Amino acid sequence: MRTNDVGGGALRRPRVPAAGTGDDRPRAPLPSRVEDLPPPPDGLAEALGAVVAEPAQRAPIILHARFLLAWNAAINLTAITDPVALARLHVADSLAAVDLVAAGPHADLLDIGSGGGFPGLPLALALPATRVVLVEATAKKARFLAALVGALGLADRIAVRPERAEALAAPGGPRVDVVTARAVGALADLVELALPLLRPGGRLVAWKRGDIATELSAAARAAAALGGAPPVVVPAGRPGPSGHVLVIVERRGDPPPGYPRDPALRRHRPW
Ligand code: SAH
């Protein structure tokens, strides 16, 4: 007798793959419904509550973390699984840009390379009037994001695009007020990708850490060539140990045709 039918019942168990199953063996489907998720680890709600100021945002943020941990067993979404570290290094780090984003035009936001959903998902929850596009080139990560957005009931406001941002930046693609990117590529590449995706007056917000002087000069050259303002570095606005600063590049004019270039050409002719 089968006990894991979609109809459910008292015997339904969380459908997560058993540890150590090889790729050649059939895997159980990953959970796409809240009731199929394993219970949250101890301390998760408290850790997230400490970094999410708005009580109404806590339940969806906790759900995000539970999805992340459940799917992380099968697809590599994050190396950070400790609840306190996850709350600070992923959630608080993502939310560091809320005030800055809210201070400018923010009717819509596109997150390049969302991976496990950072920073796009916490920002979407903190900015409930903003339409959000999560762009993720790796198909299985995009499937994770789509399952999460569906379970949150936010599919009408948060879209998941399983493709490269280059495809969306081409003529005829979406144009938004804010482009975000954390842990995705060099700053100059992000400028080249983001400026064509922005409306004039819109801004790229990139999370960067460490010594970024060289990256910043290349990004400044890219911005100048593509109609962007010089990059501005903002220390992350909220407490957080991630060490990230936010780099802002505003779109002022129009990028010339032909940008963003093909990734191979970008590698061959860096800024
Ligand atoms: N932003 C997340 C994930 C960072 S890992 C975080 O901070 O935790 C980088 C992710 O970007 C990967 O999942 C990769 O598949 C995706 N990515 C890299 N280049 C991309 C591109 N050009 N378009 C869309 N996704 C991209």
Side-chain angles (χ1 to χ4, degrees), residues 2 6 11 14 65 75 112 125 130 151 154 195 220 223 247 267:
R2 295 174 56 178
V6 286
L11 292 176
I75 66 172
I112 298 179
L125 296 172
T130 301
L154 291 174
L195 287 176
V247 182
R267 271 194 301 279

Side-chain angles (χ1 to χ4, degrees), residues 90 112-116 118-119 135-138 141 163-166 182-184 193:
H90 280 325
I112 298 179
S114 289
F118 302 108
V135 185
E136 175 48 58
T138 303
K141 294 182 182 179
E163 56 196 311
R164 292 188 65 84
E166 283 83 345
R182 193 186 78 150
V184 185
L193 269 178

Side-chain angles (χ1 to χ4, degrees), residues 64 71 109-117 120-121 124 131-152 154-165 168 174:
H64 180 192
W71 284 57
L109 177 153
L110 183 149
D111 187 31
I112 298 179
S114 289
L121 205 280
R131 300 187 68 83
V132 172
V133 184
L134 306 176
V135 185
E136 175 48 58
T138 303
K140 58 192 176 180
K141 294 182 182 179
R143 277 200 295 280
F144 160 78
L145 293 169
L148 170 62
V149 168
L152 287 168
L154 291 174
D156 56 342
R157 186 166 72 82
I158 306 178
V160 177
R161 303 286 298 250
E163 56 196 311
R164 292 188 65 84
L168 299 176

